[in-house]
Amino acid sequence: MEKIDTGPDNGPEFQRYRTLYEMLLEAIPSSVLLIDQDLRIVSVNRNFLEKNRRTLPDTIGRRLDEVFPAIIIDQMGFAGRIRQVFEKNFHIKGERMTYRAPGIPLRIYYYSILPFSWKGVVELAMLLMEDVTEQVRLSEEVRRVERHLASVVESAQDIVLSTDMEGRILTWNTAAERLSGFTLYEVREQNFFDLCAGDDLGEMENVFANLRAGRNAQMAEWDLKTKDGGRVPVSWIFSPMKDHLSQTAGVVAVGRDLTERRKFEAQLLQSQKLAALGVMAGGIAHEIRNPLAVCSSAAQFIMEPDISQEFRQECAHKIHAGVQRASMIIENLLRFARPSVKTDPKEINLTRLLEETLSLVTNQARIQKIELHSQLAPEPICINGMEGLLQQTFLNLLLNAIKAMPDGGVLGIDLGKTESEAWVSISDTGHGIAPGDLNNIFDPFYTTAPAGQGSGLGLSICYSIVKQHFGTITVDSEERQGSKFTVRLPIREAEAA
Amino acid sequence: MSDQSDLILIADDEPDLCWALEHLLHNQGLATRRALSAREALDLMEQHHFSRAFLDAKLPDMDGLELARRILEIAPDIRIIMVSGYFYRDDVSIQDAISQGLIHSFISKPFLQEEILKVLNA
């Protein structure tokens, strides 16, 4: 402004600059006011008038307190600040102002007061007001969404945690703190693997390698270590966390506490076992009463007076053998009926396990005039697994096969292996499965048996046990021809290698 | 030595059970023949004349009641005693078999010698 030599006040040059000045002022998308030393408004642009619903005549020449609500003048200390600008040639920058005036929607401004000097003297003060209502609203919205997301994660019953690509923990929600006893502060930057009690580090690294390679969600069941030295069974889902460029930047793990489910599964297994025992009861009675009858007869012979020493010996041997046989049967049953304590997988000789399981049903099969054809490989076939659970699976399949042949038939049990897996197939020549039922037989509570004769849980339990062993169970069946169930289980790695 | 009319058939797949019955019956001066399956029992029926037969209810190749029916076809005069650990005395199938004359009596395992002797003298 200083360079402009105005000449006569109404010259054409002056008029041109004046128009330019007004155009500039009107075009500025902020409110611009010029205020003199008496706090009167000297100039104002359209932006201010529109926002405050004022006209030029009732604004120009008015004092600040006639134009601005008194509350703003007071709160902002406007008068004092403007005076400072005049006296000290001083900029007041970037203050926030909440503009509440009657009849006008609430607005939020950033304002600055700048000195407007003429030849070194502050002639006027310029009040610049920028409306930031929208920006403030947006950032509040962003904060609200952030708070909402955080509260979703924090309120979740499931563990929600995030790690970097190497597995170092970045966040850890309340559920994770509650289940593990560790606070975020204690686990931050720690490797997630170190907090898992599983001994299969290779498997864990594999999951993260897959995520790094861009693969989708990975699932696993690993125990979580707790602060008090215990462990909690957890079912995990790991998902890649993408950044704004869709690059995998980290991993989100959601984990669900399996304690309750494990308890329920154990109860289910146990009730299913008792049901299996019910099916076997007839065979068991027969099997035990035979040796009992032999013992009883031999004992009665011994009680007779004049018998030979040799015959007495023979009777004693029969009694001894009979008692042993009966107690063997009872021991097998007890071992089966006892709740299987879920232990870590150990090496199992499938050949021996199948022989033992077969011995539990041999009698039931004989009663139903069922021929047993078993081809168990002579050499032991070993896998890693939970013996009690696998025995329950095979027993279920054997009892199903026997049940399918009320009028006799052939029960086949085969065991073999390939390089990577062992397979057991159990076949019958019974009534078979209707094609319409084949898709459902592994579903819980699906049964074609009349009420009271089958819970529909047996095969679903077999299925879940085989899954737990990372195996598969399949069925081939033809109506009136028979069924064949095949269980495939991975051979333990040491042997496969 | 007993005469032909006192020859007794014992059919049970458990050899020790045959042993027990044999011993008991031999003490009574009776002769026995042993069959470990229904097939063997029917073969013996073709070769000998038996006055009585002790049959197990569950033989590996045939149901005891079915065997009783086949035996009666060969020798309608024979008295059949079922000895079983599978049935109860008051099982419907046993009661039916007795009322139909398929079996003469039923003895459950384990048994007392007197029970066997009683049915012999009946």
Side-chain angles (χ1 to χ4, degrees), chain B residues 7-104:
Chain B
L7 190 60
I8 296 176
L9 172 68
I10 299 171
D12 198 308
D13 60 334
E14 177 68 51
D16 280 346
L17 221 114
C18 297
W19 165 86
L21 283 173
E22 280 161 6
H23 200 82
L24 187 56
L25 298 175
H26 294 169
N27 278 351
Q28 300 302 309
L30 300 167
T32 60
R33 289 288 182 278
R34 173 197 287 206
L36 294 173
S37 67
R39 183 74 260 147
E40 281 178 39
L42 290 171
D43 284 348
L44 286 170
M45 284 301 299
E46 299 290 348
Q47 294 162 29
H48 302 278
H49 177 262
F50 294 100
S51 63
R52 302 173 187 86
F54 287 90
L55 305 185
D56 186 14
K58 296 285 177 185
L59 287 157
D61 51 349
M62 200 183 290
D63 210 80
L65 290 172
E66 175 59 22
L67 177 60
R69 194 169 289 118
R70 304 267 187 102
I71 286 176
L72 284 175
E73 279 169 14
I74 300 168
D77 297 336
I78 197 167
R79 289 163 80 101
I80 296 175
I81 302 115
M82 181 152 285
V83 184
S84 164
Y86 185 74
F87 291 116
Y88 297 91
R89 186 183 297 280
D90 44 8
D91 258 326
V92 177
S93 44
I94 295 302
Q95 291 301 314
D96 285 354
I98 290 176
S99 63
Q100 285 164 22
L102 204 54
I103 59 173
H104 183 255

Side-chain angles (χ1 to χ4, degrees), chain A residues 282-283 285-286 289-290 292-294 296-298 300-301 304 311 314-315 318 321 325 364 366-367 369-370, chain B residues 13-14 16-17 19-20 23-24 27 56 58-63 85-87 108-114:
Chain A
H286 187 220
R289 285 161 106 191
N290 260 336
L292 282 185
V294 175
S296 161
S297 294
Q300 291 173 67
F301 292 142
E304 281 165 17
F311 183 59
E314 191 182 358
C315 288
K318 299 275 186 207
R325 213 179 103 188
Q364 187 70 33
R366 194 161 59 213
I367 285 170
K369 295 174 293 294
I370 290 168
Chain B
D13 60 334
E14 177 68 51
D16 280 346
L17 221 114
W19 165 86
H23 200 82
L24 187 56
N27 278 351
D56 186 14
K58 296 285 177 185
L59 287 157
D61 51 349
M62 200 183 290
D63 210 80
Y86 185 74
F87 291 116
S108 66
K109 293 174 184 173
F111 48 81
L112 294 173
Q113 295 186 3
E114 294 91 89

Side-chain angles (χ1 to χ4, degrees), chain A residues 167-178:
Chain A
R168 278 186 296 268
I169 288 171
L170 302 174
T171 65
W172 179 258
N173 71 344
T174 315
E177 287 187 358
R178 194 183 58 239

Side-chain angles (χ1 to χ4, degrees), chain A residues 182-240:
Chain A
F182 293 114
T183 60
L184 172 60
Y185 178 74
E186 291 169 294
V187 296
R188 192 197 281 275
E189 295 286 316
Q190 265 203 58
N191 200 307
F192 171 68
F193 304 151
D194 296 337
L195 291 161
C196 287
D199 37 19
D200 202 346
L201 192 63
E203 193 196 339
M204 297 184 190
E205 279 169 351
N206 215 4
V207 163
F208 274 70
N210 281 338
L211 290 169
R212 275 195 292 272
R215 274 186 217 126
N216 271 335
Q218 308 271 308
M219 301 210 283
E221 284 189 12
W222 299 328
D223 290 1
L224 181 69
K225 285 182 194 166
T226 61
K227 198 173 183 177
D228 56 16
R231 48 207 277 183
V232 182
V234 175
S235 152
W236 299 98
I237 299 175
F238 300 95
S239 315

